[in-house]
Amino acid sequence: MTGNAKLVAGGKDHDYPVLAGSVGPDVIDIRKLYGQTGMFTYDPGFTSTASCESGLTYIDGDQGILLHRGYPIDQLAEQSNFMEVSYLLLNGELPSQAELEKFSYTITRHTMLHEQLATFYRGFRRDAHPMAIMCGVVGALSAFYHDSTDITDPRQRMIASHRLIAKMPTIAAMAYKYSVGQPFLYPDNKLSYTGNFLRMTFGVPAEDYVVDPVVEAAMDKIFILHADHEQNASTSTVRLAGSSGANPFACIAAGIACLWGPAHGGANEAALNMLREIGHPDRIPEYIARAKNKDDPFRLMGFGHRVYKNYDPRAKVMQKTANEVLDKLGVTDPIFDVARELEQIALKDEYFVSKKLYPNVDFYSGVILSAIGFPTTMFTVLFALARTVGWVAQWNEMISDPEQKIGRPRQLYTGPTQRDYVPVGDR
Ligand code: ACO
């Protein structure tokens, strides 16, 4: 505690403790506010509300800083790998070599799906959005893995977490295979987490699939960049669903549903569609003008962020990775020119400068994923795959928190006051 905050309400003074984190803004602990004043706070969109205590991820949006367990995202993206970052998020510390090997071994041994799940896929239409399939299949996992749904048992929680991290690439790849009418591929334990995912997605049983190390490294970086992001909408959804004691598979399915929206995980799909629609750098001014026009609902997708009021640190790594992948694959996609030019123009434009609208992680990720060969409908699926580790780490943290309660926001009611029912014939 660092002191008190005074509030005058109903003609009386009230003191509320001010709590300090290890870094970042202090928070006013208002848990007793309603009991003492009979008032709630009003904060739609939770712009000023800390919903939990967490030791996982820290963001300084003004400085453009993102730390996982204290480690800067650019260092992790450049020097680490997704398995190590997953271990870090789940366990709090970087693993030793032996711990990393054991963790990778455990994840690798959980990548297969219950065979009955293949039948489950076949119930979907072939043109189903892969996010719809992912939501359904991940929710259904609770019907297949009963032995890891007791959330009061830390061991079962960890097994469920490992299962989710391990099976997500298989689920995502199968969603893709189903949409293109190709056979499902089983995981190959010789490959890395990311290499295995690429093979299950782009390989076919008739041929050997050789993993391109540049693509594998780029994909792994994309996974790292999406692994966790503090109390964003989907993570808060996972926590809220989990706060009632729901099983982890159901909670992650809830997170996937939330991530699907274009203001959140769907933004990279929307950003790439927008770049394609612009098509040529000459048309950029027209779209900039539309983004600024209050009467036009159009927004520059991949720009702006609730928390970052500076360059999203993930966007910088993403831009560099886009260059590497396009060079290696020899892809000359005009949308990359559009993206670069659009970024330059927007960064100098008074509207974007004054509102502190910078490129976010989604601005370049679509360009890379498209160059690798993913259809746009798979973009959010890849985000969900990577974010699963963040979701399960946050969910585990919440369940282990002695202060954890069911999440139950209050409201400012503005509907009718009490009135008497009138029978239908008398209305
Ligand atoms: N293009 C044009 N104007 C924008 C944009 C944009 N991309 N983003 C924000 N603005 C404007 C708003 O119109 C608003 O203007 P006003 O103050 O004159 O009304 C102002 O900037 C503030 O915007 P808000 O919507 O109030 O900011 P909020 O924090 O609620 O929204 C969000 C953040 C949803 C990300 C928003 O910037 C947006 O819609 N961006 C495009 C979608 C996108 O890229 N989402 C990905 C987010 S990152 C992620 O989920 C991984």
Side-chain angles (χ1 to χ4, degrees):
M1 207 173 97
T2 60
N4 283 327
K6 273 201 190 312
L7 174 80
V8 184
K12 284 195 190 145
D13 281 2
H14 300 275
D15 276 334
Y16 294 98
V18 174
L19 310 177
S22 47
V23 56
D26 292 346
V27 301
I28 306 169
D29 179 351
I30 54 149
R31 279 176 288 185
K32 297 213 167 88
L33 180 87
Y34 178 55
Q36 290 177 349
T37 66
M39 292 183 194
F40 300 141
T41 54
Y42 182 59
D43 184 17
F46 307 113
T47 52
S48 298
T49 298
S51 59
C52 62
E53 190 180 321
S54 179
L56 267 142
T57 292
Y58 173 73
I59 303 173
D60 182 331
D62 293 326
Q63 306 279 338
I65 291 173
L66 167 61
L67 310 175
H68 290 320
R69 303 280 192 189
Y71 296 103
I73 189 67
D74 47 324
Q75 290 183 22
L76 294 173
E78 295 299 340
Q79 299 173 50
S80 183
N81 59 63
F82 185 65
M83 271 302 88
E84 191 177 57
V85 172
S86 299
Y87 182 98
L88 174 70
L89 285 168
L90 272 179
N91 299 289
E93 294 298 333
L94 286 169
S96 66
Q97 186 63 37
E99 286 165 337
L100 180 59
E101 277 165 22
K102 184 163 177 252
F103 180 71
S104 301
Y105 180 90
T106 306
I107 296 298
T108 306
R109 260 76 196 164
H110 277 110
T111 48
M112 285 202 301
L113 288 185
H114 191 292
E115 194 61 20
Q116 199 65 21
L117 269 164
T119 320
F120 194 82
Y121 273 81
R122 294 195 171 94
F124 285 98
R125 286 169 54 139
R126 289 275 173 192
D127 62 355
H129 195 290
M131 281 298 275
I133 298 183
M134 197 171 222
C135 257
V137 172
V138 173
L141 291 181
S142 46
F144 288 83
Y145 300 101
H146 296 139
D147 57 343
S148 56
T149 52
D150 177 1
I151 64 155
T152 60
D153 177 353
R155 195 178 132 70
Q156 288 203 28
R157 288 207 302 271
M158 205 37 87
I159 294 173
S161 304
H162 291 160
R163 280 183 168 150
L164 277 156
I165 296 166
K167 294 183 196 308
M168 221 45 137
T170 317
I171 293 171
M174 284 171 72
Y176 173 70
K177 284 296 188 208
Y178 188 70
S179 72
V180 291
Q182 290 181 0
F184 298 140
L185 255 63
Y186 290 116
D188 179 346
N189 287 358
K190 289 196 297 295
L191 299 174
S192 70
Y193 181 87
T194 304
N196 198 13
F197 169 63
L198 289 169
R199 181 187 154 274
M200 285 190 289
T201 305
F202 297 119
V204 287
E207 278 174 18
D208 283 342
Y209 178 80
V210 181
V211 180
D212 181 327
V214 173
V215 173
E216 185 181 15
M219 198 73 238
D220 204 70
K221 253 182 217 164
I222 291 178
F223 289 163
I224 294 174
L225 295 177
H226 288 90
D228 193 47
H229 211 230
E230 212 224 53
Q231 305 311 321
N232 57 83
S234 57
T235 302
S236 297
T237 300
V238 170
R239 279 187 179 257
L240 198 56
S243 76
S244 71
N247 77 70
F249 304 108
C251 296
I252 301 307
I256 294 170
C258 177
L259 188 75
W260 196 350
H264 192 9
N268 55 7
E269 183 175 342
L272 191 82
N273 289 339
M274 177 194 76
L275 292 173
R276 289 208 194 292
E277 193 184 309
I278 298 175
H280 193 278
D282 289 353
R283 297 189 63 202
I284 291 173
E286 181 193 324
Y287 282 83
I288 295 264
R290 282 188 63 193
K292 295 195 288 197
N293 181 355
K294 282 261 158 268
D295 300 326
D296 189 331
F298 174 79
R299 282 189 166 195
L300 218 49
M301 299 315 286
F303 264 77
H305 197 275
R306 169 62 62 80
V307 179
Y308 293 117
K309 303 302 169 198
N310 198 326
Y311 216 104
D312 180 340
R314 301 168 301 172
K316 284 189 187 149
V317 182
M318 208 59 102
Q319 188 195 38
K320 191 165 161 250
T321 310
N323 278 321
E324 287 162 10
V325 170
L326 266 65
D327 275 0
K328 172 68 184 17
L329 299 180
V331 174
T332 48
D333 193 333
I335 57 164
F336 197 48
D337 299 330
V338 175
R340 271 193 281 229
E341 186 120 357
L342 181 61
E343 178 185 355
Q344 288 316 312
I345 294 175
L347 287 177
K348 286 189 207 114
D349 189 288
E350 173 51 25
Y351 174 90
F352 291 89
V353 173
S354 63
K355 293 188 188 303
K356 300 189 177 165
L357 298 169
Y358 292 86
N360 60 46
V361 68
D362 293 318
F363 191 61
Y364 282 106
S365 61
V367 174
I368 308 176
L369 296 174
S370 166
I372 293 176
F374 289 103
T376 46
T377 50
M378 279 296 285
F379 292 2
T380 319
V381 167
L382 303 175
F383 191 161
L385 185 171
R387 183 56 57 85
T388 295
V389 62
W391 289 331
V392 294
Q394 299 261 0
W395 172 79
N396 271 294
E397 184 183 59
M398 179 191 70
I399 306 282
S400 330
D401 183 348
E403 306 236 359
Q404 188 260 328
K405 283 185 184 339
I406 184 167
R408 178 42 172 105
R410 308 305 290 247
Q411 64 171 7
L412 171 65
Y413 177 70
T414 54
T417 52
Q418 184 171 333
R419 48 185 169 164
D420 288 326
Y421 176 80
V422 179
V424 67
D426 299 343
R427 276 175 233 156

